Every structure is written in structure tokens, then in C-alpha cells.
Amino acid sequence: MSTPNAHYGFAERWLPRLVLAPSFLLTLVFLYGFIAWNGYLSFTNSRLLPNYEWAGLVQYATLFENERWWVAVRNLGVFAVLFIGGAMAIGITLAILLDQKVRGEGAIRTLYLYPMALSFVVTGTAWKWMLNPGLGLEKLMHDWGFTSFTFDWLVNSDMSIYTVVIAGLWQSSGFVMALFLAGLRGVDDSIIKAAQIDGATLPRIYWKIILPALRPVVFSTLMILSHIAIKSFDLVMALTGGGPGFSSDLPATFMYSMAFTRGQTGLGAASAMMMLATVAAIVVPYLYSELRKDHHG
Amino acid sequence: MANTDRIWRFALYGALLFAAAYYLLPLYVMVTTSVKSVEEIRAGNLLSMPMAVTLDAWSKAWSTACTGVSCNGLSGYFWNSVQMVIPAVAISTMLGAINGYVLSKWRFWGSEVVFAMILFGVFMPFQVLLLPMAQTLGMFGLANTTAGLVFVHVVCGTASTTLFFRNYYVGIPDELIKAARLDGAGFWRIFWRIILPMSTPIIMVTLIWQFTQIWNDFLFGVVFASGDAQPITVGLNNLANTSTSVKEYNVDMAAALIAALPTILVYVFAGKYFVRGLTAGAVKG
């Protein structure tokens, strides 16, 4: 009994590591091990069943010659730019408007944000009904007297990806508003007061002082939105199913159909690696800077 | 001056109400469509009020609508989701709390690396796990089971829960821990008696975040579960995409509302925590 401290030291040294070990192992095996496994699959000729014979870059060559893949990549570009840009613009605007000491702010904020609680499958199902040509928006406009109004984007292969943008913006823009409103409330009041005393106008204060102060929020929001855009799968599946044809495919739906419905396992694995590379290119520098900030902060 | 001010306020409220209508319209359309009959849908338009409210579409969506080959409605899928979400949320939250505690208060050589490794899991596209995971679940006999889905959600969800708890616990002063250690409290005692009682806000945030994520998940549900174990999102998608001669939009909308109900309820009753959960980790800067 004379050495409680020695016992304590042992527990203190090893218990934390022991406790963290299960999660560490789960991460190591099921995240990093599986990335490696999937990476290996992408260098094989696996079709319906995995085949572990090394085949080099065949799948990547096939992928880069695949028209459908490039449609998916181009769609992701269109979707990401419009979805991220649109959600940022709507979100910032609404946050600034709500920041003007508005009566009933809490209730309004609640209304703007609720779509975020709904799944993309629910969102897709709802918008599919509203955007359907013939009965949805089109019929509404006809009933209101605009008889020449047509809106067939959902079944028009040139426009179908834009319907995904419409539904995506509805679901996520309120969330961006909430992020920016939280950010706006964090800006130091005394700086704003000082600027007001100096005679700066409200738009000028926002443009010159408040928005620059929100740079970290802009950055995080960009990260979150681009992450949502790249992994978007459910929304497309529920809204257009990737169609008409494969005109509204995104890399995520491409990967799913190659790997799980068309028996092209190797090609699916290769497309997943391309998605991972894209995300890593955006996220790794961000995580690196965040962790460094933690160290010095 | 007062006049321009009034015009400005008027425009402000106009813009805010316009935006509110934009967010509310789809919900209004879903609810009204779900209580109309098919004939009424054909006769009216998106915004017309229902003339005769009927809950037929709701009962059909719940118990007799066809989702692919079977015609048992969404009830089975709904209970699958309930059975999946409860253990998955509970386990990932517990793991997150413990991990966050260690990573913030018991750092050791290498713990930052472990944290960075786990953190990447928050952002990685899960597509890269799907094929190996499908193989592995098959090997262990967990393919197409709720247990398999719970496992996948725990593996993929622990990254976010760890991040939430770790960021929250970093804000708890280290002096508190030091004082407790001087008093002879050990690793677990400190966790149960000091850390956990201070954790209610972050536990709420994590529970709500995980509940919404897992309830709303479609990717894992569609890839790893077939038939008897599929969650509600897959059921809804099957229902809405089953081609019938007459498209029953009222049933589709009732089904969508059934699938959305649990997360809407969470949002209504725990909205404050929901917002905090959404913004947690995002607005640290």
C-alpha cells in the first residue's frame, strides 16, 4: 500500500491509450485499410466478382475513356459551382437581412432552417412532384394564365442537372444562413460602433469590416458545401435517378451504378479513388492548417 | 429620414417573408397533396387547397403501397430504421465521448496523429469504403442485416462524434482535471464525476446530429441492406420510383412525410440543439 502513486502512474500512462485503442483500430482497419483495399481493387480486372490479379492502370484508362464518367465529372463541376455559389449567396444575404434587429427573428430562422432536417431522399421526392412537367409547376402557371409556360427540366437531358441544383439549394441554403448568422453575432460590436461614429454607411461597414471578419466562417462553409456536393448521391437518386439516360449522373451515382448494378467492380473502385483524391486535395490542406492553429492557439 | 427608414424596413420584411414562403412552399405542397385524392390532384394544381381532406394516402403509404415487388407499405422500413438508429446513435455517441475525453485531457505521444486520422474520416467520401465493406459484411454474415448497418454507421459516425466531444472538452479548463488528480481521482472517476456531468449540451448536440445523419442515410442503406433490413429512406425511394400506370403523388407525399416525421419532430422539439449541432465545429474560427 505504500506505492499508490506507482499504481496511479501505470493507469495514467496506459488507460487512455487502451481506451482509445478500439476506435483507433476501427479507424485503421475500416477507414485506412479499406481505402488501401479499394485502391488495390482499382488496379485489378474485377468485374462482377473481385479478382485480385494485378492489372495495372487498365481501369483508370477505361474510366478516362468513358463518356459517362466525363458527363458525371462535368455535372459535378456545374453542380458544385452553382450549388456552393448559390447557397453562399442566399445564405449570406438572408443572414445580413436577419441581422437588422428583425421582429420574430427566431421564428423566421426556424422556417429557413428546417429543410436541413429532411433527408435528400425526402427533398428529392418532394421536388420531383413539384417539377414534374404536366402536373407540377407547369400546371400551376397554366392555371394562373401563363399558358405558354413550359418547364420540363426534369426530363430534359440538357437541363436535368439544374433541377438537382434547385432542390439542393432549397435543402442547404438555410443552413448556410445559420452559419453566417452565428458568425455575424460573433463580430466585435465595438469595431462596428467605431465605424458608425466615423460616418461609415451600413453597406460599407458590412463590406469593409464585417465580411472580412467572417473569413473563417466563409472557409468552413466552403469546406462543408463542397463536401456535400462531392458526396451528393441520394438527391440525384431520388430526384432524377441520374437520368434521363445518364445526363444527371454525378461521380457518386456513377460509382454506385458501376460497382453495384453493372458488375464493373474495378471501374467502380477506380472512380471511388478519383473521388477520394478530389476530397483529399481540398480537405488535407484545410485539416493541416486547422490542427496547426490548434497547436499555436 | 424617418420616411426612407420606414420604406427600408418595409422592403426588409418583404424580402424576409418572400424567403420564408420559398422555404415553406414545398412543405405546404407535400402536406396538401398528401390529403388530396388522385382525381383532385389531376383537377387542381400544386397550390390549390384540398377540397375533401382524406387520409387514405397516408394509410396506403404506411401499409399497402408497393415498393418494388412487395406491397406492404413503409411500416416495415420505418421499424427497420428505428431498430438501426437507436443502437447506432448510442454506441457512436459513447465512443465519441470517451475518445474526446482522452484526446483533449489525456494526450500522449501520438494522440494528435490519432486525432488527425480520425478527423479525416469526417470528410472522406464513403464511396471508397463501399466495395471492401460489402465484402467484409458478407464474410461475417452481416450483409443485409440491421446489425451490419449499425456497425457501418458506428464506424463512419465515430469520427464526427469524436470531433464534437473533443472540441467541447478542449474548452473545459485543465486546472479542473489537475485539481481532481491531486485529490487522487483517477481516469474513470474524473470522467464520471467531473466531465460527464458537464457534458449535457454536447451530448444533446451529438445525439441529434447522429440521429439525423443515420435516419436520413440512403447510401449505406441501399448498398448494404436488401429486402427485410432496408431503412425508411430506401423504402421511400423504392415507393416513389415504382412505376404504376397512375402515378399516385398523394401516396408519394404521404410517404415522404412519414420518412421525414422523426427528424422534423427532433427539429421542432430540440431545434436549439439541432442548430448548435449543425454549426458545431463549423464556426470555431
Side-chain angles (χ1 to χ4, degrees):
Chain A
M1 281 312 287
S2 62
T3 57
N5 275 335
H7 174 73
Y8 189 82
F10 179 81
E12 187 174 278
R13 253 181 92 74
W14 290 104
L15 211 50
R17 296 170 205 221
L18 211 64
V19 163
L20 201 60
S23 300
F24 174 66
L25 281 178
L26 277 182
T27 307
L28 200 65
V29 174
F30 291 101
L31 299 186
Y32 294 90
F34 278 14
I35 290 176
W37 184 348
N38 183 81
Y40 187 85
L41 275 176
S42 75
F43 293 111
T44 67
N45 262 325
S46 301
R47 294 183 73 89
L48 198 55
L49 290 174
N51 149 3
Y52 292 99
E53 201 177 316
W54 185 264
L57 290 167
V58 187
Q59 301 292 2
Y60 291 91
T62 316
L63 187 68
F64 293 147
E65 281 163 11
N66 189 319
E67 189 205 338
R68 182 170 175 178
W69 169 252
W70 290 113
V71 170
V73 170
R74 205 184 57 95
N75 278 343
L76 178 61
V78 171
F79 177 68
V81 169
L82 293 177
F83 171 74
I84 297 172
M88 292 289 255
I90 297 172
I92 294 177
T93 309
L94 291 180
I96 290 177
L97 292 181
L98 261 186
D99 196 33
Q100 310 305 317
K101 301 187 176 61
V102 165
R103 213 174 303 161
E105 185 205 310
I108 299 175
R109 207 179 43 206
T110 307
L111 289 183
Y112 290 178
L113 196 61
Y114 86 90
M116 196 68 191
L118 307 185
S119 63
F120 273 127
V121 179
V122 169
T123 304
T125 310
W127 281 91
K128 188 178 183 167
W129 155 226
M130 291 187 288
L131 297 177
N132 87 26
L135 266 183
L137 209 59
E138 196 170 289
K139 177 128 189 282
L140 178 70
M141 296 311 260
H142 289 183
D143 282 5
W144 281 355
F146 302 95
T147 43
S148 57
F149 180 86
T150 51
F151 193 77
D152 63 345
W153 287 10
L154 201 60
V155 294
N156 178 342
S157 49
D158 291 330
M159 305 305 283
S160 52
I161 188 67
Y162 298 100
T163 61
V164 183
V165 176
I166 294 175
L169 281 179
W170 177 77
Q171 204 262 3
S172 304
S173 52
F175 168 50
V176 180
M177 178 280 302
L179 291 179
F180 275 97
L181 196 59
L184 285 174
R185 297 287 148 84
V187 176
D188 193 355
D189 272 345
S190 57
I191 309 175
I192 301 167
K193 292 256 166 57
Q196 277 169 338
I197 291 166
D198 286 349
T201 59
L202 197 61
R204 206 178 151 76
I205 291 175
Y206 271 103
W207 190 247
K208 288 282 179 191
I209 299 172
I210 300 182
L211 286 180
L214 290 182
R215 195 175 304 160
V217 185
V218 172
F219 217 63
S220 318
T221 311
L222 275 176
M223 292 299 306
I224 296 168
L225 288 176
S226 49
H227 177 240
I228 296 178
I230 292 170
K231 68 171 203 177
S232 270
F233 170 74
D234 357 15
L235 185 61
V236 177
M237 293 302 275
L239 188 63
T240 65
F246 50 79
S247 60
S248 57
D249 248 350
L250 289 179
T253 57
F254 176 92
M255 187 275 162
Y256 173 76
S257 71
M258 289 307 148
F260 298 100
T261 63
R262 294 176 135 231
Q264 299 275 5
T265 301
L267 196 59
S271 63
M273 291 313 279
M274 297 308 298
M275 291 179 67
L276 178 72
T278 313
V279 171
I282 303 172
V283 162
V284 169
Y286 171 74
L287 288 185
Y288 186 72
S289 71
E290 281 290 303
L291 288 174
R292 282 188 66 87
K293 202 166 67 189
D294 266 12
H295 265 300
H296 301 298
Chain B
M1 189 65 197
N3 222 353
T4 52
D5 211 46
R6 191 170 298 164
I7 293 169
W8 165 236
R9 295 302 282 182
F10 195 73
L12 173 67
Y13 280 100
L16 288 171
L17 286 179
F18 180 77
Y22 161 70
Y23 288 110
L24 271 181
L25 208 60
L27 188 65
Y28 167 82
V29 169
M30 284 164 87
V31 172
T32 52
T33 305
S34 77
V35 295
K36 289 177 186 171
S37 64
V38 179
E39 300 77 52
E40 214 190 313
I41 291 173
R42 302 231 153 242
N45 63 42
L46 278 180
L47 297 184
S48 51
M49 287 292 282
M51 287 177 289
V53 171
T54 161
L55 290 178
D56 289 353
W58 281 77
S59 70
K60 185 165 185 189
W62 181 251
S63 52
T64 60
C66 295
T67 52
V69 280
S70 66
C71 292
N72 301 320
L74 285 183
S75 52
Y77 297 93
F78 189 90
W79 296 122
N80 287 342
S81 273
V82 172
Q83 282 173 31
M84 167 186 78
V85 80
I86 292 170
V89 169
I91 298 171
S92 60
T93 304
M94 277 190 299
L95 281 176
I98 295 284
N99 293 345
Y101 170 54
V102 171
L103 290 171
S104 59
K105 298 293 169 225
W106 296 81
R107 295 182 196 190
F108 49 84
W109 189 86
S111 62
E112 287 293 306
V113 179
V114 176
F115 179 58
M117 280 177 67
I118 295 179
L119 200 52
F120 186 65
V122 176
F123 290 98
M124 69 181 292
F126 293 131
Q127 273 73 18
V128 87
L129 307 180
L130 295 180
L131 286 162
M133 187 65 91
Q135 296 271 307
T136 309
L137 290 180
M139 250 162 15
F140 289 104
L142 288 172
N144 305 328
T145 64
T146 299
L149 276 185
V150 169
F151 176 76
V152 175
H153 281 300
V154 167
V155 168
C156 295
T158 301
S160 334
T161 59
T162 301
L163 177 68
F164 286 167
F165 278 103
R166 189 250 183 205
N167 284 353
Y168 181 79
Y169 289 155
V170 161
I172 293 179
D174 285 343
E175 286 68 34
L176 220 60
I177 314 294
K178 284 203 188 102
R181 280 164 78 175
L182 284 178
D183 289 343
F187 179 84
W188 288 115
R189 220 179 136 77
I190 293 175
F191 181 67
W192 290 112
R193 304 297 287 275
I194 298 173
I195 298 288
L196 217 50
M198 300 173 78
S199 304
T200 316
I202 195 65
I203 291 176
M204 288 296 292
V205 163
T206 308
L207 287 178
I208 289 165
W209 172 263
Q210 284 298 91
F211 180 84
T212 331
Q213 289 293 306
I214 297 173
W215 185 272
N216 285 346
D217 164 72
F218 177 71
L219 180 65
F220 294 148
V222 78
V223 172
F224 300 129
S226 68
D228 289 346
Q230 285 176 332
I232 184 86
T233 45
V234 180
L236 169 62
N237 192 53
N238 291 350
L239 184 146
N241 288 318
T242 295
S243 45
T244 44
S245 48
V246 185
K247 191 83 191 107
E248 296 176 304
Y249 285 107
N250 51 351
V251 178
D252 286 5
M253 290 306 110
L257 286 169
I258 289 172
L261 218 49
T263 51
I264 290 183
L265 286 179
V266 163
Y267 179 67
V268 169
F269 290 110
K272 186 175 67 170
Y273 291 105
F274 180 79
V275 177
R276 232 179 268 167
L278 287 175
T279 49
V283 224
K284 293 193 299 176

